[in-house]
Amino acid sequence: MKRSCRFSLPVTVVISVIGYIYTSTVFVFVDQWFGLRSSPGIMNAAAFTAVALMCTINYAVAIFTDPGRIPATFMPDIEDADNPIHEIKRKGGDLRYCQKCSHYKPPRAHHCRVCKQCVLRMDHHCIWMNNCVGHANYKVFFIFVLYAVIACIYSLVLLVGSVMYGSEKEGQQSEGSYRTIYVISGLLLVPLSVALGVLLGWHIYLILRNKTTIEYHEGVRAMWLAEKGGDVYSHPYDVGAYENLTSALGPNILCWLFPTSRHIGSGLRFRTAFEKLASATASK
């Protein structure tokens, strides 16, 4: 489901940063190190353009894709034998119901106060996208972060190479202007590479455990309560690293780096560790 265009200041900042990094990388770093008319220059410019283009496409898709709304006709079936998990409220034990949206919430869905809607398999609200990260756009968000990390590190390598091996044919005025670009780019790329690298590592961990950011924090509390009661907490949607990975990125490894989403399903129901254990027991 698509949503209308809603630009914001953080989105404008991200677009401006992408444009600046691309322009400085191709027309300054690559040009100064290799020369844009040389074979290495053309190859590096083409490779970085491809990475930047994929980064931009995934960012745009993540922004404009609705993260996943609960159908108006959704009604939990507590007698469904094929669905062993029905999330309930912490207090009272009733089925989870959203008073603001006036409908029941399926497992892993949460209400976003910013978007003013319940989001299927909500991970978090991202101000840099002016959108929630949820069931329908989580993969695209993850791939965007991956390409952003690659682009930042690639640009940083070209920056260092340009400084070390750049030609000295330019005039003094031109050198001064390039020096400013180098300083600004370095101050931008180093913290971006670190921050995005940490974010990428965090979501790789979440994907391998089949958790959302919200479920991670809820799981920490549930684990503490379980240990306090002498029990062991296990995340119900963790069905093994490989199956967790394919549920997020798709079964076809060739499509992992592209914004495809045919594999995601309805977002109303997810395979659980209990089902995997039951099927393994039945096959013996």
mmCIF file of all heavy atoms in Angstrom, residues 17 57 88 122 147 154 164 194 220 223:
data_model
loop_
_atom_site.group_PDB
_atom_site.id
_atom_site.type_symbol
_atom_site.label_atom_id
_atom_site.label_comp_id
_atom_site.label_asym_id
_atom_site.label_seq_id
_atom_site.Cartn_x
_atom_site.Cartn_y
_atom_site.Cartn_z
ATOM 1 N N VAL A 17 22.445 15.190 2.039
ATOM 2 C CA VAL A 17 23.692 14.485 2.363
ATOM 3 C C VAL A 17 24.049 13.485 1.271
ATOM 4 O O VAL A 17 25.213 13.391 0.855
ATOM 5 C CB VAL A 17 23.572 13.785 3.728
ATOM 6 C CG1 VAL A 17 24.738 12.817 3.956
ATOM 7 C CG2 VAL A 17 23.529 14.808 4.852
ATOM 8 N N ILE A 57 17.194 4.586 -4.324
ATOM 9 C CA ILE A 57 15.952 3.887 -4.678
ATOM 10 C C ILE A 57 15.333 3.228 -3.444
ATOM 11 O O ILE A 57 14.131 3.353 -3.190
ATOM 12 C CB ILE A 57 16.219 2.837 -5.779
ATOM 13 C CG1 ILE A 57 16.539 3.531 -7.111
ATOM 14 C CG2 ILE A 57 15.020 1.905 -5.935
ATOM 15 C CD1 ILE A 57 16.962 2.587 -8.214
ATOM 16 N N ILE A 88 -1.627 -11.171 24.468
ATOM 17 C CA ILE A 88 -2.622 -10.583 25.369
ATOM 18 C C ILE A 88 -2.018 -9.384 26.084
ATOM 19 O O ILE A 88 -0.804 -9.173 26.082
ATOM 20 C CB ILE A 88 -3.122 -11.605 26.406
ATOM 21 C CG1 ILE A 88 -1.948 -12.125 27.247
ATOM 22 C CG2 ILE A 88 -3.854 -12.752 25.732
ATOM 23 C CD1 ILE A 88 -2.341 -13.062 28.359
ATOM 24 N N MET A 122 5.639 -3.935 13.800
ATOM 25 C CA MET A 122 6.322 -2.646 13.913
ATOM 26 C C MET A 122 7.700 -2.810 14.540
ATOM 27 O O MET A 122 7.853 -3.462 15.566
ATOM 28 C CB MET A 122 5.478 -1.680 14.745
ATOM 29 C CG MET A 122 6.115 -0.315 14.914
ATOM 30 S SD MET A 122 5.055 0.806 15.845
ATOM 31 C CE MET A 122 6.147 2.213 16.044
ATOM 32 N N TYR A 147 23.266 -0.500 1.803
ATOM 33 C CA TYR A 147 23.871 0.263 0.702
ATOM 34 C C TYR A 147 24.467 1.577 1.208
ATOM 35 O O TYR A 147 25.487 2.044 0.691
ATOM 36 C CB TYR A 147 22.830 0.545 -0.382
ATOM 37 C CG TYR A 147 22.616 -0.602 -1.329
ATOM 38 C CD1 TYR A 147 21.393 -1.281 -1.390
ATOM 39 C CD2 TYR A 147 23.629 -1.015 -2.186
ATOM 40 C CE1 TYR A 147 21.194 -2.334 -2.255
ATOM 41 C CE2 TYR A 147 23.437 -2.073 -3.065
ATOM 42 C CZ TYR A 147 22.223 -2.729 -3.094
ATOM 43 O OH TYR A 147 22.028 -3.775 -3.956
ATOM 44 N N TYR A 154 33.012 3.252 0.899
ATOM 45 C CA TYR A 154 33.592 3.406 -0.435
ATOM 46 C C TYR A 154 34.052 4.850 -0.651
ATOM 47 O O TYR A 154 35.175 5.108 -1.109
ATOM 48 C CB TYR A 154 32.557 3.007 -1.479
ATOM 49 C CG TYR A 154 33.079 2.787 -2.878
ATOM 50 C CD1 TYR A 154 32.213 2.366 -3.890
ATOM 51 C CD2 TYR A 154 34.407 2.999 -3.212
ATOM 52 C CE1 TYR A 154 32.660 2.151 -5.174
ATOM 53 C CE2 TYR A 154 34.865 2.784 -4.497
ATOM 54 C CZ TYR A 154 33.989 2.370 -5.481
ATOM 55 O OH TYR A 154 34.436 2.162 -6.751
ATOM 56 N N MET A 164 45.989 11.107 -0.629
ATOM 57 C CA MET A 164 47.344 10.546 -0.658
ATOM 58 C C MET A 164 47.978 10.569 -2.047
ATOM 59 O O MET A 164 49.173 10.807 -2.190
ATOM 60 C CB MET A 164 47.318 9.108 -0.123
ATOM 61 C CG MET A 164 46.951 8.992 1.343
ATOM 62 S SD MET A 164 46.892 7.276 1.903
ATOM 63 C CE MET A 164 48.589 6.763 1.611
ATOM 64 N N VAL A 194 30.429 5.066 11.038
ATOM 65 C CA VAL A 194 30.359 4.405 12.342
ATOM 66 C C VAL A 194 28.903 4.198 12.764
ATOM 67 O O VAL A 194 28.505 3.094 13.153
ATOM 68 C CB VAL A 194 31.111 5.230 13.407
ATOM 69 C CG1 VAL A 194 30.897 4.626 14.792
ATOM 70 C CG2 VAL A 194 32.598 5.295 13.083
ATOM 71 N N VAL A 220 13.744 -8.320 26.863
ATOM 72 C CA VAL A 220 14.637 -8.104 28.006
ATOM 73 C C VAL A 220 13.833 -8.126 29.302
ATOM 74 O O VAL A 220 14.226 -8.750 30.297
ATOM 75 C CB VAL A 220 15.393 -6.767 27.860
ATOM 76 C CG1 VAL A 220 16.132 -6.422 29.147
ATOM 77 C CG2 VAL A 220 16.374 -6.841 26.699
ATOM 78 N N MET A 223 12.512 -11.679 29.883
ATOM 79 C CA MET A 223 13.578 -12.557 30.350
ATOM 80 C C MET A 223 13.845 -12.343 31.843
ATOM 81 O O MET A 223 14.041 -13.293 32.592
ATOM 82 C CB MET A 223 14.861 -12.284 29.543
ATOM 83 C CG MET A 223 16.005 -13.243 29.840
ATOM 84 S SD MET A 223 17.480 -12.834 28.871
ATOM 85 C CE MET A 223 16.832 -13.042 27.202
#
